[in-house]
Each structure stands twice: as structure tokens, then as C-alpha cells.
């Protein structure tokens, strides 16, 4: 297993994820923004603007994985079924859910 980590000092701040070594060849790029960006959601608009800019800067023909705890509730509203499918733990979106899905 290999740990990918965004914080300054391991296990202090930031976020990380573990990948099985036999899947490492599938990871072509890991680019953490910074440890504060993932922790300080009090500046939500700034966070989502940075996330949008980063996502838009990536090649459109390559798969992307966005990992994080966005404190988002994704609801079962019909209008978003084509994006989220028919399964959700929540009946309605919260503000973070709307930001994440858009």
C-alpha cells in the first residue's frame, strides 16, 4: 500500500488516501492543493472556486477522482438523477450538496 497525503506533516492536518500497490500504475498524477484548502470549509466559495479552476485545468479526456468530505448532503431530487443516480442517503440537498454537484 502507498499513502498519498496533502498535509505538511503526516497525520497532522491535510487529507490522504491509500492505494494498493498493484493499482499504482493507474495513478498518473497526484496534486494536493494545500492542507488548509481541504480543512477550512468556512471559506466555501473560495474552496469551490479553487476546485473548479483545478478541475477545469485538467485534460478533458482523462478520468478524474475528487476525494473529500465536503459535508455535503446529496438529495433525491429528480432533476439531478442523471448526475447522481437514484440512490442517496438524504431526501434533500444542503448548500454543500448543491455546490458539490454543480
Amino acid at each position: 500500500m502507498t499513502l498519498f497525503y496533502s498535509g505538511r506533516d503526516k497525520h497532522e492536518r491535510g487529507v490522504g488516501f491509500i492505494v494498493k500497490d498493484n493499482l499504482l500504475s493507474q495513478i498518473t498524477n497526484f496534486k494536493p492543493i494545500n492542507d488548509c484548502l481541504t480543512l477550512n470549509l468556512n471559506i466555501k466559495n473560495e474552496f469551490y472556486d479553487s476546485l473548479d479552476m483545478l478541475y477545469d485545468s485538467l485534460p478533458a479526456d482523462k478520468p478524474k477522482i475528487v476525494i473529500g468530505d465536503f459535508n455535503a448532503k446529496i438529495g433525491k431530487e429528480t432533476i439531478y438523477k442523471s448526475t447522481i443516480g437514484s440512490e442517496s442517503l438524504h431526501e434533500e440537498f444542503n448548500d454543500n450538496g448543491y455546490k458539490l454537484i454543480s
Side-chain angles (χ1 to χ4, degrees):
M1 304 274 205
T2 298
L3 173 66
F4 289 86
Y5 195 76
S6 71
R8 286 179 241 161
D9 297 317
K10 289 186 179 181
H11 310 295
E12 292 182 17
R13 302 183 59 149
V15 295
F17 64 97
I18 296 173
V19 175
K20 290 183 178 183
D21 289 334
N22 65 334
L23 298 175
L24 280 177
S25 64
Q26 303 299 310
I27 307 287
T28 58
N29 190 0
F30 173 70
K31 182 178 180 183
I33 306 303
N34 63 47
D35 59 332
C36 294
L37 186 60
T38 58
L39 291 176
N40 191 352
L41 293 180
N42 293 326
I43 51 173
K44 275 193 267 187
N45 291 336
E46 207 174 300
F47 169 81
Y48 281 100
D49 288 345
S50 295
L51 182 60
D52 284 341
M53 285 190 312
L54 173 65
Y55 192 88
D56 291 343
S57 73
L58 299 171
D61 62 334
K62 301 291 183 189
K64 294 140 198 87
I65 300 173
V66 178
I67 299 173
D69 176 4
F70 297 93
N71 293 322
K73 290 184 179 179
I74 307 297
K76 295 180 181 179
E77 286 92 334
T78 305
I79 191 170
Y80 297 113
K81 276 196 177 184
S82 63
T83 304
I84 62 169
S86 59
E87 301 299 323
S88 178
L89 294 176
H90 307 285
E91 293 299 320
E92 296 179 354
F93 280 77
N94 66 4
D95 184 53
N96 290 348
Y98 284 114
K99 288 183 180 300
L100 180 61
I101 195 124
S102 65

